[in-house]
Amino acid sequence: MDYREPVKIVVDKEIALTVADLNKTLIVTNEKNVDFAYCTSLEEVAEKFGNNTKIYKAVEAFLSQTDGSGNILKPDFFAVMGVEKGGDEDAAYATKLKAAITEVLDESWYCLITIMDTAKLVEELRALIVSERRVYIAETGTYPLENADKAKSERTQLIYNTKTSDGEDREYKSAAYAGAVITAGAGNKCSMVKLSGVSADVTGGKKQELTKNNITFVEKRTSEGYIVANGGRAMDGTYFDETTALDCMIVNLNEAIQKMLILKGFPQDEEGYTRMEETITSIMEQLGAKDILAKENGIYEYKVTPVTQTKEERMARTIKPNVLFRLKGWAYFIDLTLKQTYDTVNKKN
């Protein structure tokens, strides 16, 4: 008999992430070689890289984001790493960086930011990001990406940035976006997101072109001049909030079922079926409380199908539960109808 993991949730592959990882970001620079490290402050980044480096400025943008109430969005920790580019060509460096990231897949991080994005790098990292169920927020100053078909996935998002040349006016839009979206937690709003520390560089017809290519852009909105990221779609057109919400669900269910399997187990009778249903229900309720699931009439929108087993499944010691659910998601388009009348609007009965 072949070995298999005790808990299998039907996705691309088994999940190595933990619940605590899903709002953590890894920021990688090409300035010099520095080992992977966890940080909690900008000062720690300065100690490792210096306070006039690209990664220092990127982390500064990452840590300066706020929620809708103006509170700073500060993660418990984030990760940094340096992989020096030197004289490497883009293709050679992409291969080197992929190897370095592969070595730290067992560390606690979910979102990848690289401070030297190229079309070749996005293409090279695609398979790794997809297979490990991570996400990658990259920047681009040109579109469409020359290798868009090879780089396309629901896990890679492109941010349009015209200020990527080394210099005082350089901006770190992907880091700012990750600070506002990833740090806020799985399923968080990914379009019309207010950003700090970056400027708007898109107006007029360019919005149509970028939207067509599934590229998120930064613009000014409202009379107060809010700087917002508009788009929120991955390269394949999937909204990022859907991807992160599903990852959160998978990781939480995987963790809970494994713990119960270890601590009490699931007998192959009504006792075990009930325990399985209760375990899944408990996690789905928690996901609802985290704003991952939709709510209707005060009840979270999910249904755990009563668990049963066939003779063959009992012989194979396998239980196959099923859950139907609806993600909460976010509305990004509002169609408001205004209707004028010359009649009395509020008539008395």
Side-chain angles (χ1 to χ4, degrees):
M1 178 181 292
D2 295 332
Y3 172 80
R4 58 156 282 182
E5 290 293 326
V7 179
K8 181 170 70 173
I9 297 176
V10 183
V11 290
D12 297 347
K13 62 166 290 176
E14 300 296 339
I15 304 300
L17 293 169
T18 68
V19 175
D21 295 337
L22 292 176
N23 66 343
K24 303 303 186 297
T25 298
L26 166 60
I27 303 177
V28 184
T29 185
N30 61 352
E31 296 164 277
K32 65 177 182 177
N33 291 317
V34 175
D35 290 341
F36 178 99
Y38 296 114
C39 296
T40 59
S41 69
L42 193 56
E43 289 72 25
E44 291 173 275
V45 179
E47 290 175 4
K48 297 178 184 301
F49 296 92
N51 61 9
N52 195 34
T53 55
K54 292 182 286 188
I55 193 169
Y56 179 91
K57 295 172 182 176
V59 172
E60 187 174 35
F62 173 73
L63 294 176
S64 66
Q65 304 310 308
T66 59
D67 63 17
S69 300
N71 302 308
I72 291 290
L73 289 165
K74 190 176 186 303
D76 297 331
F77 60 86
F78 56 95
V80 295
M81 185 170 70
V83 182
E84 187 175 7
K85 187 175 189 296
D88 293 329
E89 297 294 329
D90 286 349
Y93 181 71
T95 301
K96 181 164 71 174
L97 181 60
K98 181 180 178 181
I101 293 173
T102 300
E103 292 181 1
V104 299
L105 288 173
D106 290 336
E107 303 291 348
S108 295
W109 62 274
Y110 175 60
C111 174
L112 174 67
I113 301 294
T114 56
I115 310 177
M116 53 284 167
D117 302 319
T118 64
K120 186 62 181 177
L121 188 59
V122 175
E123 176 188 342
E124 185 71 22
L125 292 177
R126 177 195 175 279
L128 180 64
I129 294 298
V130 170
S131 68
E132 297 297 326
R133 296 193 74 84
R134 311 296 170 96
V135 294
Y136 178 25
I137 302 175
E139 295 178 343
T140 184
T142 59
Y143 56 90
L145 221 59
E146 61 187 45
N147 56 347
D149 288 342
K150 294 181 180 179
K152 187 179 296 183
S153 83
E154 79 281 8
R155 297 187 168 275
T156 301
Q157 186 175 358
L158 293 179
I159 308 290
Y160 183 69
N161 189 1
T162 58
K163 297 182 178 180
T164 56
S165 298
D166 293 343
E168 291 300 317
D169 66 339
R170 175 161 183 164
E171 295 187 356
Y172 299 90
K173 289 184 167 67
S174 60
Y177 184 81
V181 174
I182 301 300
T183 302
N188 191 62
K189 185 159 62 78
C190 61
S191 185
M192 299 305 291
V193 179
K194 186 174 177 291
L195 300 182
S196 302
V198 297
S199 63
D201 55 5
V202 175
T203 58
K206 189 180 289 291
K207 298 178 185 180
Q208 303 292 334
E209 300 169 15
L210 292 168
T211 300
K212 183 178 179 181
N213 286 278
N214 293 322
I215 298 174
T216 298
F217 53 87
V218 179
E219 61 174 344
K220 279 188 179 180
R221 283 279 175 177
T222 80
S223 60
E224 296 183 35
Y226 290 138
I227 305 298
V228 299
N230 190 344
R233 293 180 185 267
M235 291 182 68
D236 74 340
T238 303
Y239 277 110
F240 235 40
D241 59 6
E242 181 174 332
T243 298
T244 60
L246 286 171
D247 283 347
C248 182
M249 180 176 294
I250 291 164
V251 170
N252 276 270
L253 286 168
N254 185 68
E255 180 87 352
I257 294 172
Q258 284 203 68
K259 283 183 178 178
M260 188 60 69
L261 192 60
I262 294 167
L263 297 175
K264 292 187 177 181
F266 296 100
Q268 296 191 114
D269 62 5
E270 62 181 22
E271 179 185 346
Y273 305 155
T274 299
R275 185 173 296 164
M276 176 64 74
E277 293 168 17
E278 289 175 346
T279 301
I280 295 173
T281 297
S282 175
I283 293 302
M284 296 305 287
E285 286 292 317
Q286 292 176 35
L287 291 169
K290 291 177 181 288
D291 284 337
I292 297 295
L293 298 177
K295 184 184 285 188
E296 190 75 24
N297 297 321
I299 299 173
Y300 295 122
E301 287 276 78
Y302 72 91
K303 181 180 180 181
V304 182
T305 303
V307 176
T308 59
Q309 278 181 300
T310 64
K311 171 187 172 183
E312 290 72 23
E313 288 167 353
R314 277 189 286 273
M315 291 174 65
R317 305 298 181 102
T318 301
I319 297 177
K320 296 182 177 181
N322 285 281
V323 185
L324 179 68
F325 63 91
R326 180 162 70 91
L327 293 176
K328 189 170 190 174
W330 297 84
Y332 297 127
F333 305 98
I334 310 299
D335 293 336
L336 171 64
T337 300
L338 300 178
K339 185 175 182 180
Q340 182 181 356
T341 180
Y342 292 99
D343 199 355
T344 302
V345 175
N346 297 309
K347 296 180 180 180
K348 294 182 180 180
N349 293 331

